[in-house]
């Protein structure tokens, strides 16, 4: 039997989105490694790091019952012994998610590199919810010539349209109602025919909800992450805050089919 491993890196606080990555992993290998490590290097804000939801015991049970055959929960000292030289995510790392979060993507690449060196997977699976992260990791793996295939997995939404995220636990029921504006804006924008009307619609719908504080909303070209000039290969990306909780979402202009060719998945999160 092959020793090839498929790897699902996580920061824990697992939800149905993570479990779907483990489910997809089963298509690649019977050796499924899940890591749980809250990476301090990718948090620019110490308070965000301190309050990041953690449930290591619950995570281990969930990952195991979802099918993980190895669960790795390294310490900060294990991942970062001594001085850390960070990997640069380049110019793309300073846009959108990286613009307001200095060093975020450098921190992501630095930890992913260390996780990859330890696990040595043949495949690694990342969710399309963090579309810019997926883009940057794919680009870096290609440029570094690493023998790892990066697989993008479809974003998972709750029944109310909210993209699943570990941060959602911080939303009150009223916040959740407010947060619905994001998927509403994405659906309406991606239903437009022209790129200009899609951009207008995205901004108009988001602006209609006073409880949503916009960080950015754009339609980018999936191939290069530059503002899209046509709907082809376009993807609407949005980030902002509801009651101080940062939310992130995206949708393909050829929605609801994701880049991996699988329909967007909706689940009902268990309470
Ligand atoms: O997407 C995440 O959970 C994290 O950014 C990752 C890829 C596990 C690196 O810490």
């Amino acid at each position: 039997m092959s020793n090839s491993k498929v790897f699902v890196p996580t920061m824990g606080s697992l939800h149905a989105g993570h479990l779907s990555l483990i489910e997809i992993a089963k298509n690649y290998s019977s050796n499924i490694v899940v890591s749980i490590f809250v990476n301090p290097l990718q948090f620019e804000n110490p308070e965000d790091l301190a309050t990041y939801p953690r449930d290591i015991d619950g995570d281990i049970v969930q990952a195991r019952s979802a099918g993980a055959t190895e669960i790795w929960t390294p310490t900060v000292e294990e991942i970062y012994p001594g001085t850390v030289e960070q990997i640069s995510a380049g110019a793309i790392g300073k846009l959108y998610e990286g613009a307001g979060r200095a060093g975020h993507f450098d921190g992501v690449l630095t930890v992913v590199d260390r996780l990859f060196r330890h696990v040595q997977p043949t495949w690694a699976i990342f969710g399309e919810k963090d579309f810019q992260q997926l883009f940057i990791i794919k680009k870096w793996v290609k440029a570094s010539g690493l023998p790892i295939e990066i697989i993008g997995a479809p974003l998972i939404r709750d029944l109310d349209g909210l993209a699943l995220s570990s941060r959602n636990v911080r939303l009150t029921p009223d916040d959740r109602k407010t947060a619905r504006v994001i998927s509403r804006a994405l659906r309406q924008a991606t239903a437009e025919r022209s790129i200009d009307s899609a951009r207008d619609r995205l901004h108009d719908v988001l602006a209609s909800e006073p409880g949503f504080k916009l960080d950015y909303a754009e339609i980018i070209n999936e191939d290069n992450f530059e503002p899209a000039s046509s709907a082809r290969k376009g993807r609407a990306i949005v980030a902002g805050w509801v009651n101080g909780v940062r939310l992130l979402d995206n949708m393909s202009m050829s929605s609801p089919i994701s880049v991996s060719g699988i329909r967007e998945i909706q689940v009902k999160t268990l309470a």
Side-chain angles (χ1 to χ4, degrees), residues 221-243:
N221 180 320
E222 288 177 352
D223 285 342
N224 53 23
F225 238 86
E226 287 172 10
S229 50
S230 75
R232 207 185 146 267
K233 297 269 186 153
R235 183 166 285 252
I237 56 170
V238 172
W241 296 267
V242 172
N243 200 8

Side-chain angles (χ1 to χ4, degrees), residues 9-11 18 37 39 42 108 111-112 115 126 130 133 137:
T10 80
M11 294 209 300
H18 296 107
F37 178 67
N39 174 31
Q42 69 190 77
V108 169
V111 79
V112 168
L115 297 172
F126 296 85
D130 295 297
Q133 167 175 283
I137 291 172

